[in-house]
């Protein structure tokens, strides 16, 4: 009955607003719930495999041999730990707080996504599943999945919206070079959410031998927890690095939020450090007021999408509506349920960054620090720059630079009217 | 509190007949034809009507129902309008059960309490929400309080432990999904279906309807050997989609369903 009286979204939000939480690391519960969010809203056919996955993963999570295997690959294959880099020239130019970058762009394949795909591929292998499916938006998760499938000798099929295939051609070719089959999705809005739908349809059809590697902290339980756990290495590392390099924790964390995996990856280790503030940067596209955005937490409402209760962007009939962002990786009408919980509990704050702000931050970082950030990550950089302007010089802002921008060079050139 | 579903299955059992359950997407092919199509299906032999509530992201559905949902959505079809159609249907048909089938988000946005009140008032007898498994059934518990039956799916993958939990909660009938896959696929294996349906029926008296992969008289007859009722969706939706006018849709609905009704009755008598 806990949701039954959630008559309107206004009520729902107010009910769970500012709930006192004693231990943020105690979530989710056994049903995959982060207070009011999360859960397992899936067709019956997929419930037994989800139960099987949850049981298998919960055991592996405590298994020292599994953890050692995962950490070995993170070190020798991914190239972890990634450094924390003080963006001194950028900070000096702004003249406020110091911006520190957690360099996930330096990982193998160029983004945080590989932390998760290594983890899930190891789970799949241990469960004896040799056929891997994945969805991708920007192509980064698709590339990271194709990469680990090549590494572990697994079959790989990647679903990708036809619109995204068009705007991320280089990543499509990268996946093919790695031996993956890329299947264009032409249903619905032909973007990330539809790729997820199609991957689920594949899974329902081939449930016996197939493992679905979801690319963000969304989907039904245990995915939001499992993907978070695999990305939580980012925050664990960063927390230790901060203490070692600066003798203290950062004052504020910032990360971009599409589905929310890089953000929760950074935030998680710091959740019980109440003095550390957290700000998630969602894609405000052409501005929240324009309606062309992908800011589920800032401008969406409480609903259910892809197996979990969270904030979604939909119309009054409950139909998921098309989103917009310059970055394909943030172009998603839902968001991981743990972020919905962090928002309502007041532990983290979520704000919108427009296409133009992200682009400006991209250029600023390129010129002052010699780093081409992914357009997704540029949203986090833009937010870090905003915060730096407001905060005194001795404050430390730790920004997750979730990926590198090589994949976006064509998009940026086209937007600026340059033909390559 | 309506007993239409129980009454209908009791009547079928007494008459020694099998139930025929057509599925249509509400509002497709033409919103103004939905109520008339429902009546036509009853006239052609439907025992219960499943009315699909269109949703933008139907993960359990194949292209036929995806596209029909997209067409209905493009015409602005939503829950309020669909409940209006059920009320209208009830003005002249007080006995044929109507079950809404769809996904959770439209109901979530409509509001659970409001939905339970309005669905019950409109004369909806049952609701099958594809993405609400038995674990999450509390989400829609208000429906049960209002006398609207919670219909659950059982799949080929369902374990005995889950089956027991579903049986304990299920009302009206159990909808057995004949294969692991999406609607509109054609992987029907009548022998496997028979074994599973018999297994499900061993545990209690709740009727079992079988859907997914039933597309014509022959497959309906095969499935009805073990099932209490058969559900026909994609094949009917595809037939209706080809109709360009209201009259053509009604004619197509009748022409599609009547022979299946006849074949089912014929097979049982044999
Ligand atoms: C570099 C990068 N950052 C962020 C994201 C957004 O995903 P998430 O919010 O799960 O971190 C993507 C997705 O493709 C990405 O490629």
């Amino acid at each position: 009955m806990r949701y039954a009286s959630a008559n309107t979204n206004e009520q729902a939000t107010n009910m769970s607003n500012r709930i006192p939480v004693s231990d943020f690391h105690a979530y989710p519960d056994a049903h995959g719930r982060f207070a009011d969010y999360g859960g397992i809203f899936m067709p019956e056919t997929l419930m037994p495999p989800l139960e099987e996955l949850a049981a298998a993963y919960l055991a592996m999570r405590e298994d020292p041999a599994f953890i050692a295997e995962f950490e070995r690959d993170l070190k020798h294959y991914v190239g972890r730990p990634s450094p924390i880099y003080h963006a001194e020239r950028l900070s000096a130019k702004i003249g406020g707080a110091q911006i520190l970058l957690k360099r996930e762009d330096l990982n193998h394949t160029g983004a945080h996504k590989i932390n998760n795909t290594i983890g899930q591929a190891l789970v799949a292998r241990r469960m004896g599943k040799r056929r891997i499916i994945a969805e991708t938006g920007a192509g980064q998760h698709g590339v990271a999945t194709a990469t680990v499938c090549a590494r572990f000798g697994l079959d790989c099929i990647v679903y990708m919206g036809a619109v995204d295939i068009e705007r991320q051609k280089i990543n499509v070719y990268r996946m093919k070079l790695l031996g993956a089959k890329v299947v264009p999705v032409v249903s619905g809005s032909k973007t990330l959410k539809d790729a997820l739908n199609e991957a689920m349809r594949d899974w329902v059809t081939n449930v016996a031998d197939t493992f679905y590697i979801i690319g963000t902290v969304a989907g039904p339980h245990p995915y939001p927890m499992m993907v978070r756990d695999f990305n939580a290495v980012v925050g664990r590392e960063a927390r230790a690095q901060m203490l070692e390099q600066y003798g203290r924790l950062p004052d504020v964390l910032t990360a971009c939020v599409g589905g929310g995996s890089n953000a929760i990856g950074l935030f998680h280790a710091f959740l019980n450090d109440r003095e550390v503030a957290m700000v998630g940067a969602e894609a405000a596209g052409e501005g929240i007021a324009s309606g062309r955005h992908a800011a589920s937490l800032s401008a969406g409402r409480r609903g259910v999408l892809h197996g979990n209760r969270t904030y979604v962007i939909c119309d009054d009939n409950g139909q998921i509506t098309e989103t917009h962002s310059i970055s394909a990786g943030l172009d998603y009408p839902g968001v991981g349920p743990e972020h919905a919980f962090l928002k309502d509990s007041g532990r983290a704050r979520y704000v919108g960054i427009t296409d133009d702000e992200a682009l400006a931050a991209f250029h600023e970082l390129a010129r002052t620090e010699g780093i081409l950030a992914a357009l997704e990550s540029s949203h986090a950089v833009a937010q870090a720059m905003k915060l730096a302007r407001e905060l005194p010089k001795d404050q430390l802002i730790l920004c997750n630079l979730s990926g590198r921008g090589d994949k976006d060079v064509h998009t940026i050139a086209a937007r600026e009217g340059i033909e390559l | 509190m309506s007993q239409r579903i129980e009454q209908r299955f009791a009547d079928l059992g007494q008459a020694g007949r099998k139930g025929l359950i057509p599925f249509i997407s509400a509002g497709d092919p033409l919103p103004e034809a939905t109520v008339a199509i429902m009546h036509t299906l009853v006239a052609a032999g439907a025992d219960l009507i499943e009315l699909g509530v269109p949703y933008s992201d139907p993960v359990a559905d194949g292209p036929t129902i995806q596209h029909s949902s997209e067409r209905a959505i493009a015409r602005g079809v939503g829950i309020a309008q669909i409940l209006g159609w059920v009320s209208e249907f009830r003005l002249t048909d007080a006995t044929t059960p109507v079950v809404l089938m769809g996904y959770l988000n439209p109901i979530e946005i409509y509001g659970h309490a409001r939905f339970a009140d309005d669905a019950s008032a409109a004369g909806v007898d049952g609701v099958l929400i594809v993405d609400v498994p038995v674990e999450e059934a509390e989400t829609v518990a208000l429906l049960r309080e209002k006398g609207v039956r919670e219909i659950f799916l059982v799949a080929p993958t369902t374990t005995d432990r889950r089956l027991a939990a579903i049986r304990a909660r299920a009302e009206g009938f159990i909808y057995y999904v004949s294969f692991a896959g999406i609607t509109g696929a054609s992987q029907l294996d009548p022998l496997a279906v028979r074994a599973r349906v018999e297994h499900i029926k061993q545990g209690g008296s709740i009727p079992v309807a079988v859907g997914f992969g039933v597309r014509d008289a022959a497959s309906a007859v095969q499935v009805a050997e073990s099932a209490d009722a058969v559900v026909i969706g994609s094949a009917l939706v595809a037939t209706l989609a080809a109709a360009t006018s209201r009259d053509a849709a009604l004619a197509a609905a009748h022409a599609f369903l009547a022979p299946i009704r006849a074949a089912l009755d014929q097979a049982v008598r044999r």
Side-chain angles (χ1 to χ4, degrees):
Chain A
M1 286 294 266
R2 45 207 294 234
Y3 306 121
S5 62
N7 199 345
T8 69
N9 284 284
E10 281 313 306
Q11 265 177 325
T13 303
N14 292 341
M15 272 192 329
S16 51
N17 242 353
R18 315 286 143 162
I19 31 172
V21 175
S22 59
D23 177 10
F24 281 98
H25 290 164
Y27 296 84
D29 69 13
H31 304 286
R33 298 218 175 99
F34 299 87
D36 287 348
Y37 299 97
I40 321 183
F41 295 91
M42 290 299 278
E44 174 61 21
T45 309
L46 288 176
M47 292 302 290
L50 283 164
E51 282 179 357
E52 185 193 341
L53 173 62
Y57 173 64
L58 283 174
M60 288 180 215
R61 193 174 190 244
E62 309 295 330
D63 177 356
F66 177 81
I67 295 167
E69 202 176 4
F70 178 54
E71 287 180 349
R72 195 162 55 237
D73 265 1
L74 288 183
K75 182 170 179 201
H76 298 289
Y77 190 65
V78 176
R80 305 205 68 91
S82 67
I84 285 182
Y85 166 74
H86 182 189
E88 267 179 279
R89 290 208 338 120
L90 177 63
S91 306
K93 190 161 173 200
I94 293 168
Q98 304 309 303
I99 297 176
L100 312 178
L101 302 174
K102 177 64 173 162
R103 298 291 307 275
E104 291 299 298
D105 61 316
L106 297 178
N107 292 339
H108 179 43
T109 72
H112 70 290
K113 298 279 179 189
I114 191 130
N115 302 321
N116 168 46
T117 59
I118 289 271
Q120 288 199 53
L122 288 173
V123 174
R125 201 169 64 163
R126 286 188 168 223
M127 290 180 74
K129 312 262 180 187
R130 306 207 56 82
R131 181 177 179 271
I132 302 293
I133 57 171
E135 86 294 340
T136 197
Q140 287 304 99
H141 173 61
V143 167
T145 304
T147 299
V148 299
C149 287
R151 155 106 173 71
F152 293 123
L154 303 167
D155 293 339
C156 182
I157 296 132
V158 179
Y159 290 93
M160 188 168 186
V163 168
D164 291 337
I165 286 185
E166 199 45 46
R167 52 181 173 176
Q168 301 285 340
K169 285 183 190 145
I170 300 217
N171 272 345
V172 174
Y173 189 54
R174 281 170 85 194
M175 287 184 263
K176 289 182 181 165
L177 289 174
L178 291 160
K181 186 176 155 205
V182 180
V183 182
V185 175
V186 295
S187 58
S189 59
K190 305 179 181 59
T191 60
L192 180 55
K193 81 170 174 77
D194 309 285
L196 243 141
N197 293 340
E198 213 53 42
M200 286 190 179
R201 292 180 188 123
D202 178 315
W203 196 20
V204 135
T205 306
N206 301 291
V207 61
D209 66 340
T210 298
F211 190 100
Y212 180 14
I213 298 189
I214 296 186
T216 190
V217 285
H221 179 66
Y223 284 99
M225 170 180 73
M226 182 167 69
V227 177
R228 174 201 72 196
D229 289 352
F230 292 142
N231 269 305
V233 63
V234 176
R236 264 198 317 276
E237 251 175 43
R239 198 174 181 283
Q241 287 166 320
M242 287 301 302
L243 293 174
E244 192 189 306
Q245 289 171 233
Y246 297 90
R248 69 179 187 91
L249 298 180
D251 298 287
V252 50
L253 307 176
T254 183
C256 66
V257 179
S261 66
N262 87 88
I264 207 73
L266 178 65
F267 293 176
H268 194 254
F270 295 93
L271 284 175
N272 287 331
D273 300 315
R274 307 292 170 121
E275 69 277 22
V276 179
M278 302 179 181
V279 187
E282 296 193 290
E286 295 172 8
I288 303 274
S290 75
R292 286 179 51 77
H293 63 81
S296 319
L297 290 162
S298 313
R301 40 180 157 185
R302 210 168 106 140
V304 170
L305 177 64
H306 293 144
N308 66 87
R309 179 174 279 107
T310 185
Y311 282 82
V312 302
I313 297 175
C314 67
D315 65 17
D316 290 342
N317 284 334
Q319 310 301 346
I320 305 300
T321 43
E322 261 181 65
T323 52
H324 166 83
S325 169
I326 189 174
S327 64
L330 301 184
D331 211 347
Y332 180 63
V335 63
E338 192 161 8
H339 287 293
F341 163 59
L342 294 179
K343 173 188 158 85
D344 282 13
S345 68
R347 180 65 189 92
R349 195 156 66 81
Y350 297 86
V351 299
I353 292 291
T354 64
D355 289 349
D356 288 342
E357 289 171 321
L359 265 177
F362 171 90
H363 287 299
E364 196 65 29
L365 187 70
R367 293 303 184 87
T368 56
E369 301 290 348
I371 297 171
L372 298 183
L375 281 175
E376 291 80 11
S377 322
S378 299
H379 288 71
V381 174
Q383 180 57 27
M385 289 165 58
K386 276 192 183 176
L387 289 166
R389 268 178 221 116
E390 297 160 7
L391 297 171
K393 279 197 165 84
D394 62 350
Q395 299 256 304
L396 303 178
I397 300 165
L398 179 59
C399 170
N400 200 3
L401 200 71
S402 57
R404 68 177 187 227
D406 309 47
K407 69 180 175 64
D408 296 315
V409 166
H410 277 88
T411 306
I412 293 162
R415 171 130 177 162
E416 296 178 352
I418 294 157
E419 216 175 302
L420 297 181
Chain B
M1 204 177 269
S2 131
Q3 300 286 338
R4 277 185 286 261
I5 296 178
E6 291 75 11
Q7 189 63 51
R8 180 53 47 99
F9 277 102
D11 292 349
L12 284 166
Q14 273 191 343
R17 298 173 79 214
K18 298 294 184 166
L20 178 57
I21 308 181
F23 167 98
I24 57 169
S25 285
D28 185 60
L30 298 165
E32 61 273 23
T34 294
V35 175
I37 291 173
M38 292 167 73
H39 286 304
T40 301
L41 291 170
V42 173
D47 294 301
L48 184 155
I49 290 181
E50 263 186 26
L51 202 51
V53 178
Y55 178 50
S56 52
D57 295 78
V59 296
D61 286 301
T64 300
I65 293 178
Q66 283 171 40
H67 293 145
S68 99
S69 305
E70 282 166 15
R71 285 190 297 269
I73 291 167
R75 295 190 165 103
V77 173
I79 287 179
Q81 197 174 11
I82 294 169
L83 293 179
W85 291 333
V86 176
S87 300
E88 197 184 327
F89 174 78
R90 281 276 166 259
L91 293 176
T92 50
D93 187 329
T95 55
T96 306
V98 174
V99 169
L100 298 188
M101 183 163 177
Y103 295 79
L104 184 55
N105 199 55
I107 297 172
E108 184 99 351
I109 298 301
Y110 192 86
H112 289 290
R114 182 181 161 217
F115 179 66
D117 285 343
D118 294 357
S120 167
V124 170
D125 302 288
V127 172
L128 195 172
I129 310 170
V130 176
D131 53 351
V132 176
V134 67
E135 284 83 347
E136 303 285 2
E138 280 299 308
T139 296
V140 289
L142 287 178
L143 285 172
R144 175 184 291 257
E145 284 174 29
K146 294 285 172 186
V148 179
R149 305 291 186 258
E150 285 178 60
I151 315 292
F152 287 97
L153 297 174
V154 170
T157 50
T158 303
T159 56
D160 281 352
R161 194 189 56 71
R162 295 188 58 77
L163 182 58
I166 293 169
R167 263 209 215 95
R169 178 111 199 172
E171 300 178 304
F173 62 96
I174 280 177
Y175 185 132
Y176 178 64
V177 175
S178 70
F179 53 81
I182 52 177
T183 56
S186 50
Q187 301 161 11
L188 192 65
D189 174 352
L191 285 180
V193 169
R194 167 184 280 272
R196 286 291 288 171
V197 169
E198 282 169 1
H199 182 66
I200 296 167
K201 288 171 77 81
Q202 265 166 24
S205 55
I206 190 161
V208 178
V210 173
F212 282 45
V214 184
R215 47 184 53 244
D216 51 20
S219 49
V221 166
Q222 282 180 323
V223 163
E225 279 177 23
S226 54
D228 297 301
V230 296
V231 184
I232 304 192
S234 294
L236 173 58
V237 170
T239 302
L240 293 178
T244 49
S245 69
R246 183 189 137 106
D247 286 348
L250 299 186
H254 200 282
F256 180 87
L257 205 68
I260 300 176
R261 171 83 270 165
L264 276 181
D265 292 346
Q266 182 70 36
V268 171
R269 247 180 263 128
R270 255 201 326 255

